[in-house]
Coordinates of all heavy atoms in Angstrom, one line a residue:
E1 N 124.0 30.1 182.7 CA 124.6 30.1 183.9 C 123.9 31.1 184.8 O 123.6 32.2 184.4 CB 126.1 30.5 183.9 CG 126.8 30.1 185.1 CD 128.4 30.0 184.8 OE1 128.8 30.5 183.8 OE2 129.0 29.3 185.6
E2 N 123.6 30.7 186.1 CA 122.9 31.6 187.0 C 123.9 32.1 188.0 O 124.3 31.4 188.9 CB 121.7 30.9 187.6 CG 120.7 30.5 186.5 CD 119.4 29.9 186.9 OE1 119.3 29.6 188.1 OE2 118.5 29.9 186.1
I3 N 124.3 33.3 187.8 CA 125.3 33.9 188.7 C 124.6 34.9 189.6 O 123.7 35.6 189.2 CB 126.3 34.8 187.8 CG1 126.8 34.0 186.6 CG2 127.5 35.3 188.7 CD1 127.5 34.8 185.6
S4 N 124.9 34.8 190.9 CA 124.3 35.7 191.8 C 124.9 37.1 191.6 O 126.0 37.2 191.1 CB 124.6 35.2 193.2 OG 125.9 34.9 193.4
P5 N 124.2 38.1 192.1 CA 124.8 39.5 192.0 C 126.2 39.4 192.8 O 126.2 38.9 193.9 CB 123.8 40.4 192.7 CG 122.5 39.6 192.7 CD 122.9 38.2 192.7
V6 N 127.3 39.9 192.1 CA 128.6 39.8 192.8 C 128.9 41.0 193.6 O 129.9 41.0 194.4 CB 129.7 39.4 191.8 CG1 129.5 38.0 191.4 CG2 129.7 40.3 190.7
Q7 N 128.3 42.1 193.3 CA 128.6 43.3 194.2 C 127.4 44.1 194.3 O 126.6 44.3 193.4 CB 129.8 44.1 193.6 CG 129.6 44.5 192.2 CD 130.9 45.2 191.7 OE1 131.1 45.3 190.5 NE2 131.8 45.6 192.5
V8 N 127.2 44.7 195.5 CA 126.1 45.6 195.8 C 126.8 46.9 196.2 O 127.6 46.9 197.2 CB 125.1 45.1 196.8 CG1 124.1 46.2 197.2 CG2 124.4 43.9 196.3
L9 N 126.5 48.0 195.5 CA 127.2 49.3 195.9 C 126.1 50.3 196.4 O 125.0 50.4 195.9 CB 127.8 49.9 194.7 CG 128.9 49.0 194.0 CD1 129.4 49.6 192.7 CD2 130.1 49.0 195.0
I10 N 126.5 50.9 197.5 CA 125.6 51.9 198.1 C 126.3 53.3 197.8 O 127.5 53.4 198.1 CB 125.5 51.8 199.6 CG1 125.1 50.3 200.0 CG2 124.5 52.8 200.2 CD1 123.7 49.9 199.6
S11 N 125.5 54.2 197.3 CA 126.1 55.5 197.0 C 125.1 56.6 197.3 O 123.9 56.4 197.5 CB 126.6 55.6 195.6 OG 125.6 55.3 194.7
D12 N 125.5 57.9 197.1 CA 124.7 59.0 197.3 C 123.8 59.0 198.6 O 122.6 59.2 198.5 CB 123.7 59.2 196.1 CG 124.4 59.3 194.8 OD1 125.6 59.7 194.8 OD2 123.9 59.0 193.7
S13 N 124.4 58.6 199.6 CA 123.7 58.5 200.9 C 123.3 59.8 201.5 O 124.2 60.7 201.6 CB 124.6 57.7 201.9 OG 123.9 57.5 203.1
G14 N 122.1 60.0 201.8 CA 121.6 61.3 202.4 C 120.8 60.9 203.7 O 120.9 59.7 204.1
P15 N 120.3 61.8 204.4 CA 119.5 61.5 205.6 C 118.4 60.6 205.4 O 118.0 59.8 206.3 CB 119.1 62.9 206.2 CG 119.8 63.9 205.3 CD 120.2 63.3 204.1
H16 N 117.7 60.7 204.3 CA 116.4 60.0 204.1 C 116.4 59.0 202.8 O 115.4 58.5 202.5 CB 115.2 60.9 203.9 CG 115.1 61.8 205.1 ND1 114.7 61.4 206.3 CD2 115.4 63.1 205.3 CE1 114.7 62.4 207.2 NE2 115.1 63.5 206.6
S17 N 117.6 58.9 202.2 CA 117.6 58.0 201.0 C 119.1 57.6 200.7 O 120.0 58.2 201.2 CB 117.1 58.8 199.8 OG 117.9 59.8 199.4
F18 N 119.2 56.6 199.9 CA 120.5 56.2 199.3 C 120.2 55.5 198.0 O 119.1 55.0 197.7 CB 121.4 55.4 200.3 CG 120.7 54.2 200.9 CD1 120.5 53.0 200.2 CD2 120.4 54.3 202.2 CE1 119.9 52.0 200.8 CE2 119.7 53.2 202.9 CZ 119.6 52.0 202.1
H19 N 121.3 55.4 197.2 CA 121.2 54.8 195.9 C 121.8 53.4 196.0 O 122.9 53.2 196.6 CB 122.0 55.7 194.9 CG 121.9 55.3 193.5 ND1 122.9 54.6 192.9 CD2 120.9 55.4 192.6 CE1 122.6 54.3 191.6 NE2 121.4 54.8 191.4
V20 N 121.2 52.4 195.4 CA 121.7 51.0 195.5 C 121.9 50.6 194.1 O 121.0 50.7 193.2 CB 120.7 50.0 196.1 CG1 121.3 48.6 196.2 CG2 120.2 50.5 197.5
S21 N 123.1 50.0 193.7 CA 123.3 49.5 192.4 C 124.1 48.1 192.5 O 124.6 47.9 193.6 CB 124.2 50.4 191.5 OG 125.4 50.7 192.1
W22 N 123.9 47.3 191.5 CA 124.5 46.0 191.6 C 125.0 45.5 190.2 O 124.7 46.1 189.2 CB 123.5 45.0 192.2 CG 122.2 45.0 191.4 CD1 121.9 44.3 190.3 CD2 121.1 45.8 191.7 NE1 120.6 44.6 189.9 CE2 120.0 45.5 190.8 CE3 120.8 46.8 192.7 CZ2 118.8 46.2 190.7 CZ3 119.5 47.4 192.7 CH2 118.6 47.1 191.7
A23 N 125.8 44.5 190.2 CA 126.4 43.9 189.0 C 126.6 42.5 189.2 O 126.7 42.0 190.4 CB 127.7 44.6 188.7
P24 N 126.7 41.7 188.2 CA 126.5 42.0 186.8 C 125.0 42.0 186.5 O 124.2 41.5 187.3 CB 127.2 40.9 186.1 CG 127.1 39.7 187.0 CD 127.1 40.3 188.4
V25 N 124.7 42.6 185.3 CA 123.3 42.5 184.8 C 123.2 41.3 183.9 O 124.1 41.2 183.0 CB 122.9 43.8 184.1 CG1 121.5 43.6 183.5 CG2 122.8 44.9 185.2
L26 N 122.3 40.4 184.0 CA 122.3 39.2 183.2 C 121.0 39.0 182.5 O 119.9 39.3 183.0 CB 122.5 38.0 184.1 CG 123.8 38.0 184.9 CD1 123.7 37.0 186.1 CD2 124.9 37.6 184.0
D27 N 121.0 38.5 181.3 CA 119.8 38.3 180.5 C 118.9 37.3 181.2 O 117.7 37.2 180.9 CB 120.1 37.8 179.1 CG 120.8 38.8 178.3 OD1 120.7 40.0 178.6 OD2 121.4 38.5 177.3

């Protein structure tokens, strides 16, 4: 089954960078 990423999270936001993470991770 090909599931699209269901959530994108932005965290650790600073003036010049931020962290992006997503789920789920699929084989």
Side-chain angles (χ1 to χ4, degrees):
E1 196 159 22
E2 297 185 346
I3 311 167
S4 50
V6 289
Q7 54 188 162
V8 172
L9 298 170
I10 309 292
S11 55
D12 300 339
S13 178
H16 302 290
S17 67
F18 50 76
H19 186 258
V20 184
S21 56
W22 53 88
V25 174
L26 301 162
D27 290 342

